[in-house]
Amino acid sequence: MGKPTEAGKADHLCVLVHGLWGSPGHLQSLQKALLNKYSEDKLHIIVPKSNSQNYTYDGIDVGGERVAREVEDELSSLSSSGHTVTKLSIVGYSLGGLIARYCIGLLYSRGWFEPGKLQPTNFTAFASPFLGVRTPLKGYTSSFWNSLGGNMLSASGQQLFLLDTFRDTGRPLLSVLAEPNSIFIKALSCFKHRVLYANIINDRSAPYYTTGISATDPYEDLSLVDLHPVSEPYSPTILSPERPVSRKPSKHENSTVWGYLGSTIPPLFQQLPFYALITLLTPIAASAFLLNSGFQTVRSMQRVKLHNDDSSPLGLGFRSYRIPLMVDGAVESMQTRGPQEHLDSTSTNLAQANGHVKPQQQEPSNEKLTLAFPSGAQLGEGKQQSEDFPTLALAPEQFAMIRHLDAVGWRKYPVHITKVRHSHAAIIVRTERESFSEGLTVLRHWVEEEFEV
């Protein structure tokens, strides 16, 4: 387990969970932000280390079981030393947000959230891919890359790309995590505060649609929209959860081909050195990544086998976490497995995209699906955005996830980070550097405005 703070008289346990290929050190800025606000006699922080580095290949379920054990061990240790913990908060970064959701489901099922035990207080996710990371494009090319990506990261990759069938459910794990009757949604609904922060641009690890639990991406072209930040001192980095974005009034000066080229060619030339470097390094980096992925996948399979085998003398004792996933009945099997199908382009009802409508056969395309979305995109605190933005070509399971997760209720904060090309690490200041300074604004907002002790 990562080095904890001294418990003192703290009755509130806060668990910080890192992401893919991560380590406890990635969350130092999160921990520091909390301790700058709350003394150690108010808040006891632990950063589980059992999923460090390549152990994150082993699957969200395996990671969740490891974190649950560390939490229970810490609670037992604190109790033995005379400290009574009455509140629990859990914070997940990137993949850690999904591991955290699995963990709290196990804790809920094992009775930790019953009256008189732990009060679930804050659940926070930073740049967590709630809907997975499959590319929301139509066509065979997209299907190929989604399949390839899902098979390069062992069990975690399969789950993130919705290619797995979790246990006996017949469905992907992420779909089960969002099932209303599951222990995972029951646990999530127990938390007093549910907050997420999602990068709107430049997050190539976990794009906005999945971290913001959204069927649309209004931020694909910022020149077409106006952003609405919260007030100082968090502006312009943090956008309003109620109405973060709106369409700009129609303009005609770039409606011609020459107008369009005039607005796009200068930025393109500015980016040429960067793209030239990427072109040079990509073949080398891709080869090294593929070789390492193959090696780590084999190692991961060996670890998972040991993790699940309690009959062996080397078994790790996780069988007690193999508990029923549903509170009142079996999970409904979705008949949408196999090659990705897409919604009929004439559909105008998001509810029909829940997996209960038969998709129409279409010619392959690599264009984003552009359905009318008259009911509005849910981009904030369960409120509807007034403008219509095109609906992405998500899988039926993903539309169902959006509906079920939004039903729980969230405070959703879009985050506009501009100083780096890749904002995924910056949102939590994964390492201390000047270019990540906007991430400090995110952490300050979270601690000052959203986190309750």
Side-chain angles (χ1 to χ4, degrees):
M1 183 175 300
K3 184 179 179 181
T5 60
E6 293 297 325
K9 298 180 181 179
D11 64 352
H12 191 157
L13 175 65
C14 182
V15 184
L16 308 181
V17 187
H18 64 72
L20 189 67
W21 301 310
S23 67
H26 286 175
L27 304 180
Q28 286 184 348
S29 294
L30 275 171
Q31 186 169 349
K32 186 183 298 184
L34 287 170
L35 293 179
N36 285 341
K37 174 70 174 180
Y38 303 107
S39 62
E40 294 176 356
D41 63 346
K42 294 290 185 182
L43 191 66
H44 180 57
I45 302 172
I46 62 171
V47 189
K49 66 178 183 180
S50 54
N51 288 318
S52 294
Q53 303 298 337
N54 294 323
Y55 278 65
T56 54
Y57 277 87
D58 299 347
I60 294 164
D61 52 323
V62 171
E65 290 176 0
R66 290 172 179 156
V67 172
R69 171 180 279 186
E70 290 201 47
V71 171
E72 290 190 311
D73 287 349
E74 185 70 13
L75 289 169
S76 176
S77 176
L78 291 172
S79 178
S80 297
S81 62
H83 296 141
T84 300
V85 175
T86 61
K87 299 177 183 178
L88 174 71
S89 291
I90 190 161
V91 183
Y93 163 61
S94 192
L95 180 69
L98 301 177
I99 292 174
R101 284 178 54 206
Y102 198 97
C103 169
I104 63 173
L106 297 179
L107 297 177
Y108 171 90
S109 182
R110 291 165 69 85
W112 283 103
F113 295 172
E114 293 176 358
K117 291 194 174 182
L118 295 178
Q119 176 186 338
T121 306
N122 305 286
F123 184 97
T124 307
F126 292 93
S128 291
F130 290 101
L131 309 181
V133 295
R134 65 177 294 277
T135 303
L137 296 174
K138 300 187 295 179
Y140 298 127
T141 302
S142 176
S143 296
F144 169 77
W145 286 113
N146 284 328
S147 177
L148 179 64
N151 285 286
M152 291 198 305
L153 299 173
S154 191
S156 295
Q158 291 274 320
Q159 292 165 354
L160 286 170
F161 281 86
L162 309 182
L163 298 176
D164 66 308
T165 299
F166 187 59
R167 296 184 184 170
D168 60 352
T169 65
R171 294 168 58 177
L173 170 61
L174 294 189
S175 177
V176 176
L177 279 179
E179 173 65 33
N181 291 329
S182 71
I183 57 176
F184 311 111
I185 286 294
K186 298 293 184 183
L188 189 60
S189 65
C190 290
F191 280 80
K192 186 176 180 180
H193 305 286
R194 291 171 297 276
V195 179
L196 66 82
Y197 292 84
N199 285 314
I200 65 171
I201 59 171
N202 296 334
D203 194 328
R204 298 176 182 86
S205 299
Y208 173 78
Y209 83 89
T210 185
T211 58
I213 315 178
S214 175
T216 71
D217 185 355
Y219 309 102
E220 289 183 287
D221 187 345
L222 293 186
S223 69
L224 301 179
V225 297
D226 288 319
L227 303 180
H228 306 297
V230 298
S231 59
E232 294 288 352
Y234 312 113
S235 174
T237 304
I238 308 292
L239 304 188
S240 167
E242 287 81 18
R243 190 168 183 262
V245 61
S246 61
R247 289 189 183 277
K248 286 184 177 179
S250 297
K251 293 183 179 181
H252 303 288
E253 56 266 27
N254 287 334
S255 59
T256 67
V257 172
W258 293 113
Y260 173 77
L261 291 176
S263 65
T264 56
I265 287 179
L268 178 62
F269 276 108
Q270 293 173 10
Q271 300 289 333
L272 280 180
F274 171 73
Y275 288 118
L277 180 63
I278 291 297
T279 302
L280 177 65
L281 296 180
T282 294
I284 301 172
S287 299
F289 178 76
L290 288 172
L291 287 173
N292 183 63
S293 293
F295 174 73
Q296 294 301 337
T297 294
V298 173
R299 294 286 302 274
S300 174
M301 292 171 64
Q302 295 171 341
R303 287 194 300 267
V304 172
K305 182 178 180 180
L306 182 62
H307 179 96
N308 293 329
D309 186 10
D310 282 350
S311 63
S312 167
L314 297 177
L316 302 178
F318 284 96
R319 185 170 296 277
S320 62
Y321 292 112
R322 309 296 144 66
I323 53 184
L325 304 177
M326 300 298 133
V327 175
D328 53 0
V331 62
E332 178 185 357
S333 177
M334 292 187 70
Q335 303 300 321
T336 55
R337 310 301 297 146
Q340 179 61 53
E341 295 179 305
H342 303 93
L343 300 176
D344 179 7
S345 61
T346 61
S347 172
T348 58
N349 191 344
L350 179 59
Q352 292 177 332
N354 260 332
H356 305 297
V357 62
K358 183 177 181 180
Q360 302 293 318
Q361 297 296 325
Q362 302 178 33
E363 291 298 319
S365 168
N366 282 329
E367 297 177 352
K368 293 273 181 82
L369 191 65
T370 55
L371 299 181
F373 197 38
S375 58
Q378 294 195 3
L379 302 171
E381 190 183 8
K383 297 183 180 180
Q384 293 181 341
Q385 184 72 23
S386 59
E387 288 80 12
D388 295 338
F389 292 100
T391 303
L392 300 173
L394 305 180
E397 296 99 326
Q398 291 175 303
F399 285 109
M401 289 181 223
I402 293 171
R403 181 166 63 90
H404 298 325
L405 288 170
D406 274 347
V408 177
W410 294 84
R411 288 278 284 178
K412 299 181 181 182
Y413 287 101
V415 175
H416 188 202
I417 289 176
T418 61
K419 293 183 179 180
V420 290
R421 295 183 185 274
H422 187 25
S423 56
H424 193 69
I427 194 171
I428 61 153
V429 194
R430 205 163 66 189
T431 56
E432 292 188 6
R433 59 177 71 174
E434 174 59 30
S435 59
F436 285 3
S437 60
E438 292 161 308
L440 294 174
T441 301
V442 177
L443 299 184
R444 188 167 62 251
H445 178 273
W446 169 58
V447 169
E448 296 288 344
E449 307 294 336
E450 291 295 340
F451 191 89
E452 177 184 323
V453 170

